[in-house]
Amino acid sequence: MNIDQTNRFREIEVFVRVVEAQSFSAAARNLAMTPSAVSKLIARLEERLGIPLIRRSTRRLHVTAEGNAFYENSVRILAELAAAEREAAAGAAPRGRLRVNSNVPFGHHRLIPLLPKFQALYPEVAVDIALTDHVVDLIEERADVAIRTGPLSTPDLVARRLLRTRMAVVAAPSYLEAHGRPQTPAELERHRLLGFCFSRAFEGWPFVDPAGRPIIVPPVGGSLVNDGETMRLAAIAGMGIARLSSWHLRDDIASGRLVPLLEEFNPGDEETFYAVYVGQGKHLPARVRAFLDFLVDNITSDGAPRLPPEAMVKGTIDRPLLPARG
């Protein structure tokens, strides 16, 4: 709200007080202003509107017909403004449009299956979902919440940690039948390793040798994809070996669609998922607070939605926030 708009609301408030008090002096006392300041505000309001609102006499003031109509509208406007402020300050029931940006695997396998629960709890919130594995600018994309992994380097972001999940190297039985099963990280150089076609914040796939020394294998020689879900599907199709979060692969491993590889060389590194947003917690809209608490309450440590829905417990809006890491 700019200064002119603020001044207009002040003029309206002063005008209403003058009409109700039937006195410039009494209104001035109620507003902790001088009578001359009140008179100047009314004069400025009348000049801006181009009509007389109040006629003054030595004994009393008279509100014009136009002034009466303006008074009635002014009372309504001030009442609506006060109600809006009370509603916001009290933490109104979540409502409105919630814009969520998520990486593709989390969106497909965890977020979308949970949304019916969220909609049942908060039917006045409409959720817009955008899925991409690229890091987006929340302000530019007008996103309320983003699901991200890895270090958070933007200082104006606040994050709530959702889960940590171990990484795993996998391949389809069809790929292993055609190309053999690697027994050591060094043998991966002879295989097709699926990679991402956008910049990632690591040098390669980490392993450890039997002595605990780190080994880094660059994912080269295979196809490139632009999101984790596509990589998973490419691995199932036998296009190459993939390295993804274990929760993303759990059902595929259990069904035999994918086979874990080189587990004895797995360094045990984890990928951390965050719900990220802009701004401090106490200033969050109710719909954003509700969604953040819902995610924390409904994502288990390995990333699976909690079932059955009846067991879901609604969280509080006062849970501490995890600051974004620089």
Side-chain angles (χ1 to χ4, degrees):
M1 183 179 296
N2 59 38
I3 295 176
D4 288 341
Q5 290 172 317
T6 303
N7 290 339
R8 288 186 179 186
F9 279 113
R10 185 58 171 169
E11 290 170 359
I12 291 173
E13 181 185 21
V14 170
F15 170 71
V16 168
R17 294 293 186 90
V18 169
V19 173
E20 292 175 345
Q22 286 291 298
S23 166
F24 279 74
S25 298
R29 287 192 298 271
N30 293 336
L31 293 166
M33 299 173 64
T34 63
S36 62
V38 170
S39 181
K40 287 179 181 178
L41 277 177
I42 297 299
R44 187 169 67 191
L45 176 60
E46 291 177 323
E47 181 180 357
R48 180 164 56 81
L49 296 177
I51 55 173
L53 300 174
I54 298 174
R55 297 194 186 280
R56 304 156 183 84
S57 68
T58 55
R59 293 188 178 181
R60 58 172 299 179
L61 57 84
H62 300 272
V63 182
T64 66
E66 294 81 6
N68 276 320
F70 187 73
Y71 168 77
E72 292 177 0
N73 287 326
S74 297
V75 170
R76 176 181 54 79
I77 291 170
L78 293 175
E80 290 176 352
L81 178 62
E85 289 178 343
R86 287 194 302 270
E87 185 176 343
R95 62 172 56 91
R97 192 159 296 278
L98 178 74
R99 294 177 172 85
V100 180
N101 187 287
S102 172
N103 68 15
V104 178
F106 191 94
H108 280 178
H109 295 273
R110 299 298 175 249
L111 181 58
I112 292 176
L114 284 172
L115 288 182
K117 288 189 196 177
F118 182 77
Q119 290 176 323
L121 280 173
Y122 306 105
E124 295 187 56
V125 178
V127 183
D128 290 354
I129 304 175
L131 301 183
T132 176
D133 274 16
H134 292 271
V135 175
V136 301
D137 185 310
L138 270 68
I139 296 177
E140 183 177 329
E141 296 293 326
R142 299 172 59 202
D144 295 304
V145 179
I147 308 300
R148 293 189 179 175
T149 61
L152 304 172
S153 57
T154 306
D156 59 347
L157 293 181
V158 183
R160 291 181 75 169
R161 190 175 64 210
L162 298 178
L163 65 103
R164 288 194 181 106
T165 178
R166 187 171 176 268
M167 303 299 291
V169 175
V170 294
S174 61
Y175 176 88
L176 299 177
E177 290 173 7
H179 302 279
R181 181 176 184 138
Q183 300 300 317
T184 66
E187 294 182 16
L188 289 175
E189 296 181 2
R190 301 195 297 269
H191 285 267
R192 300 171 182 171
L193 308 185
L194 300 174
F196 290 103
C197 58
F198 55 86
S199 176
R200 305 286 284 185
F202 53 81
E203 298 177 2
W205 295 358
F207 297 94
V208 291
D209 66 14
R213 293 184 294 257
I215 302 171
I216 300 295
V217 177
V220 296
S223 299
L224 301 178
V225 299
N226 67 352
D227 65 73
E229 180 65 4
T230 302
M231 179 175 287
R232 168 183 163 270
L233 294 174
I236 293 173
M239 292 179 60
I241 298 175
R243 187 175 190 269
L244 291 166
S245 302
S246 58
W247 67 263
H248 190 189
L249 306 167
R250 178 176 49 193
D251 293 342
D252 299 317
I253 292 174
S255 66
R257 289 189 295 267
L258 291 173
V259 178
L261 303 175
L262 304 172
E263 278 297 293
E264 63 271 34
F265 300 96
N266 193 320
D269 60 316
E270 296 177 322
E271 187 170 48
T272 304
F273 287 75
Y274 299 94
V276 184
Y277 58 95
V278 178
Q280 299 303 314
K282 63 181 181 180
H283 300 308
L284 285 178
R287 68 185 187 279
V288 177
R289 279 188 179 274
F291 185 69
L292 291 170
D293 288 327
F294 177 83
L295 287 180
V296 171
D297 286 342
N298 285 273
I299 299 295
T300 65
S301 59
D302 64 355
R306 290 181 181 173
L307 297 174
E310 295 78 10
M312 194 273 293
V313 179
K314 184 179 176 182
T316 69
I317 63 173
D318 297 319
R319 181 176 284 108
L321 300 172
L322 177 72
R325 296 182 296 172

